[in-house]
Structure formats: structure tokens, C-alpha cells
């Protein structure tokens, strides 16, 4: 089937996704990722159509520095979950992938077991430019996966720039992976990742490394103690585990379930999802307005002149904004 055919046949695509057909899901994601205007329109209609069937998954964000063991962890955790009878989708937000040709999830051998698992679906990061664009596509892809019956959606990201915030903003539980002895203890704190964490898990607690991992976990625990938790119903735990041996991996999932139960009961789960939707709406609107500023050559030229005038102190920023707003047709 050609891409144009999919773009037209939204009903059949939606039916195929609801029936859990992987090939249809994969093609629909390609549609969502396309930048062609007619594909965008079809993708919007498709996602809207599937919205009532989406939203039921546990959305799990995972971050960690390169080498922390994200793919090994997702392979182990995902296989554990499919063994428990769950269907697992693995997505990624990697805004650098357009430059590097796909640094994360580019290679399915990173998740050897899961990529062979009929109950798992792995999709590399969309590779289109800005973080906002990549994140929006991953969100839509997540909805499609949920409509296809995946009841755990794992979204992976590397610890660069704002990608962690973007993933924390689209997931229910944000798991931060660390390893002992890489100077991570302080790095993590500096970057503010710890504030986003619903749990910190110190990986590679195996062999000679068990003690060091425990010490690192103690340091994180101390660091978390001085932070005010995001929720009065959840204090982010710190654990050690080994993705390689699988020891402690089921405990990661048990924490996710405990968190889900606590926040569902307090009403925070629903509130967090609603707030995420609203934030997403505004982010997209802002991106759209900014895209207009950048793409229209006439406006871009004017904006550059105004910028020059502001820099030289000839024009106040307020008046520059007034003029730009007028160009955009804002009153
Ligand atoms: P990623 O870059 O965060 O996805 O990290 P990977 O999952 O690719 O792991 C990086 C390296 O660490 C690989 O060589 C893994 O085999 C190794 N690794 C991952 N988890 C563990 C673990 O639990 N114990 C040990 N000893 N090595 C691990």
C-alpha cells in the first residue's frame, strides 16, 4: 500500500490499529512522522479518531546518561512485563537523532530480546529537527500504541538539553537511571533531573560493584531528602539493581505500580494527565507561532531589523513585540 493510500483511508487504518495489527500501526506512525501537509492532516484526523481508545497505558519515562544501561534495562524490564502478560511499546525522544542518524534506538540489537518479542513494539525516535517537533510526534505515536492495545509505553531519552523535561511531561512515572562512580551523583543534581524523578535507580549493582552502587544510592537518598517531593503522596524511592543479571528489575515495576495506586487514589494521576494535555496544547501553539515567525521571509526580515533596533537601544523590547504581534495579525 502506498503512503498516499494510507493518508486517505483513515477508517481502515484506525480499524487495523484497534485490532492490534503491527504493520498498520507502523505505517500509521510513519504518517504521523511525515511533514507533508496532506499527511499531517490525515494524521491529525487519525489520532483524533483513536483518542477514545487511547490513554489506558502506564506511561513510563526512562532517562540516563549514555552507557547508564537504558537499553539493557528496557530489554530486561520489557521482557519481564511481556512475561507477565503485558504488551509493551518502546518509543524514544532523541532530538539529536536527525544529526547523528539515530543515536538511540537506531539499532534494534540494543534490545535483543525485546525486539524479537511478539508482545513488544519498538520504534526509534522521530528524527525531525526541534525537540518540540520530535516530542509532539512521540506523543501522537504513544496514543496510537495505546489504541493498539499496548498497556505499557516506555519512552526513552538521553540526558541532553530539555529532552528529559519533554519526556517527563508526557509520562506518568519518570525513572532516572544512574551508575555509581561516574561522577553522576553531582551531575544529576546539577542538571535538575533529580527534581523530575519519580524514582532513581542505580544500575550495574552486580559483581564488585554492589557496594559502590549502594553507597551511590545512599547519596541520592540524602539528596532527595532535602528536596520537597512533587507529591505529598509519593516520595521518590532510590534503589539498586542490575539490568544485566535481572536482579531488582521486578522491583522497578513494583514501584511504578505503587506510585500509580497512590496517585490514582489521591486524584493526582488524572490531574497530571490533564495538566500535561493542556501544556502540550500551549507548547504546540507556541511552536506554531514561532514557526510562522521563522518561516515567513518577510516577517523574518522585519523581525531581524527590530532585533537590531532593540540591540542598539533605539527601540524598547515592548514596542518591538507590539510590531511583531501586529505582523502576526494579533491585535
Ligand atoms: P545505554 O547507552 O544507556 O542504553 O546503555 P546500554 O544499555 O547500552 O549499556 C551500556 C553498557 O553497560 C553495555 O556494555 C551493557 O552491557 C552494560 N550494562 C548495562 N547494564 C548493566 C548491568 O546491570 N551490569 C553491568 N555490569 N553492565 C551493564
Amino acid at each position: 500500500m502506498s503512503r498516499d493510500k494510507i493518508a486517505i483511508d483513515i477508517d481502515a487504518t484506525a480499524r487495523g490499529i484497534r485490532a492490534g495489527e503491527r504493520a498498520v500501526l507502523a505505517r500509521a506512525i510513519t504518517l504521523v512522522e511525515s511533514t507533508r501537509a496532506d499527511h499531517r492532516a490525515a494524521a491529525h484526523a487519525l489520532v483524533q479518531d483513536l483518542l477514545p481508545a487511547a490513554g489506558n497505558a502506564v506511561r513510563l519515562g526512562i532517562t540516563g546518561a549514555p552507557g547508564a544501561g537504558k537499553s539493557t534495562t528496557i530489554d530486561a524490564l520489557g521482557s519481564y512485563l511481556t512475561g507477565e502478560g503485558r504488551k509493551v511499546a518502546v518509543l524514544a525522544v532523541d532530538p539529536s537523532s536527525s544529526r547523528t542518524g539515530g543515536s538511540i534506538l537506531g539499532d534494534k540489537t540494543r534490545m535483543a530480546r525485546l525486539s524479537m518479542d511478539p508482545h513488544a513494539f519498538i520504534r526509534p525516535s522521530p528524527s525531525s529537527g526541534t525537540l518540540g517537533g520530535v516530542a509532539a510526534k512521540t506523543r501522537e505515536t504513544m496514543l496510537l500504541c495505546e489504541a493498539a492495545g499496548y498497556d505499557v509505553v516506555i519512552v526513552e531519552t538521553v540526558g541532553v538539553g530539555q529532552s528529559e523535561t519533554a519526556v517527563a511531561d508526557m509520562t506518568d512515572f519518570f525513572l532516572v537511571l544512574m551508575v555509581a562512580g561516574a561522577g553522576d551523583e553531582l551531575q544529576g543534581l546539577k542538571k535538575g533531573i533529580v527534581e523530575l524523578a519519580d524514582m532513581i535507580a542505580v544500575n550495574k549493582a552486580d559483581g564488585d560493584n554492589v557496594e559502590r552502587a549502594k553507597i551511590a544510592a545512599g547519596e541520592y537518598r540524602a539528596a532527595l531528602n532535602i528536596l520537597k517531593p512533587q507529591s505529598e503522596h509519593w516520595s521518590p524511592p532510590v534503589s539498586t539493581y542490575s539490568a544485566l543479571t535481572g536482579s531488582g528489575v521486578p522491583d522497578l515495576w513494583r514501584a511504578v505500580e505503587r506510585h500509580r495506586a497512590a496517585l490514582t487514589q489521591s486524584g493526582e494521576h488524572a490531574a497530571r494527565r490533564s495538566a500535561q494535555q493542556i501544556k502540550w496544547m500551549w507548547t504546540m501553539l507556541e511552536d506554531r507561532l514561532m514557526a510562522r515567525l521563522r518561516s515567513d521571509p518577510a516577517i523574518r526580515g522585519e523581525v531581524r531589523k527590530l532585533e537590531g533596533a532593540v540591540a542598539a537601544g533605539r527601540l524598547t523590547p515592548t514596542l518591538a513585540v507590539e510590531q511583531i504581534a501586529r505582523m502576526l495579525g494579533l491585535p
Side-chain angles (χ1 to χ4, degrees):
M1 196 192 278
S2 75
R3 276 212 203 163
D4 299 65
K5 186 82 185 284
I6 315 167
I8 295 157
D9 208 346
I10 292 165
D11 286 351
T13 307
R15 262 198 313 279
I17 289 174
R18 280 202 205 88
E21 288 174 34
R22 298 171 68 102
V24 179
L25 174 62
R27 280 201 304 268
I29 296 172
T30 303
L31 186 69
V32 157
E33 289 175 352
S34 171
T35 49
R36 249 174 64 175
D38 57 334
H39 288 169
R40 294 301 306 144
H44 292 153
L46 179 66
V47 173
Q48 180 67 34
D49 198 10
L50 289 169
L51 204 55
N56 295 322
V58 175
R59 300 169 178 175
L60 171 61
I62 294 189
T63 191
K70 291 178 296 300
S71 38
T72 314
T73 301
I74 294 169
D75 201 34
L77 179 62
S79 303
Y80 166 74
L81 290 170
T82 59
E84 297 277 291
R86 291 181 173 270
K87 279 181 75 181
V88 178
V90 182
L91 313 176
V93 171
D94 178 11
S96 68
S97 66
S98 50
R99 288 197 299 271
T100 59
S103 60
I104 63 177
L105 285 180
D107 180 2
K108 283 197 174 180
T109 59
R110 287 179 71 229
M111 293 165 202
R113 263 182 297 169
L114 214 52
S115 61
M116 304 294 288
D117 191 326
H119 301 293
F121 180 84
I122 301 177
R123 182 81 182 192
S125 175
S127 54
S128 74
T130 67
L131 172 61
V134 170
K137 289 181 167 107
T138 303
R139 274 179 179 277
E140 290 180 347
T141 296
M142 177 158 72
L143 298 179
L144 298 185
C145 290
E146 289 178 343
Y150 290 89
D151 52 10
V152 180
V153 180
I154 298 176
V155 186
E156 175 190 11
T157 193
V158 271
V160 289
Q162 292 297 305
S163 66
E164 278 144 333
T165 311
V167 171
D169 278 347
M170 68 174 83
T171 50
D172 305 320
F173 189 96
F174 195 63
L175 174 62
V176 176
L177 305 186
M178 300 281 188
V179 283
D184 280 352
E185 288 88 342
L186 282 174
Q187 257 176 38
L189 295 177
K190 252 188 264 164
K191 285 199 237 151
I193 301 166
V194 174
E195 277 95 336
L196 295 174
D198 291 304
M199 177 177 194
I200 294 176
V202 182
N203 187 24
K204 308 195 187 183
D206 46 47
D208 297 344
N209 215 21
V210 175
E211 265 321 299
R212 255 181 296 165
K214 281 188 183 154
I215 292 168
E219 288 175 21
Y220 287 124
R221 238 171 251 128
L224 282 174
N225 274 339
I226 55 172
L227 285 177
K228 190 174 174 297
Q230 294 180 58
S231 160
E232 56 175 304
H233 300 101
W234 184 255
S235 303
V238 180
S239 74
T240 61
Y241 75 105
S242 167
L244 206 60
T245 67
S247 150
V249 169
D251 297 325
L252 300 178
W253 183 248
R254 277 194 275 278
V256 174
E257 286 192 317
R258 273 205 321 278
H259 174 266
R260 174 73 149 221
L263 270 68
T264 300
Q265 210 189 4
S266 68
E268 284 168 85
H269 173 67
R272 180 165 167 169
R273 286 266 181 110
S274 298
Q276 287 176 341
Q277 290 291 100
I278 291 169
K279 190 167 173 189
W280 182 18
M281 182 184 94
W282 284 108
T283 305
M284 277 193 298
L285 182 59
E286 283 164 18
D287 285 355
R288 188 93 169 243
L289 290 171
M290 292 311 286
R292 175 86 200 286
L293 276 184
R294 293 197 188 98
S295 63
D296 186 320
I299 294 180
R300 215 170 50 210
E302 277 307 308
V303 169
R304 211 166 293 139
K305 274 190 224 149
L306 290 169
E307 208 179 48
V310 169
R314 289 194 310 271
L315 185 68
T316 66
T318 314
L319 280 177
V321 169
E322 287 295 324
Q323 292 192 32
I324 294 167
R326 226 170 297 135
M327 280 189 280
L328 291 173
L330 303 171

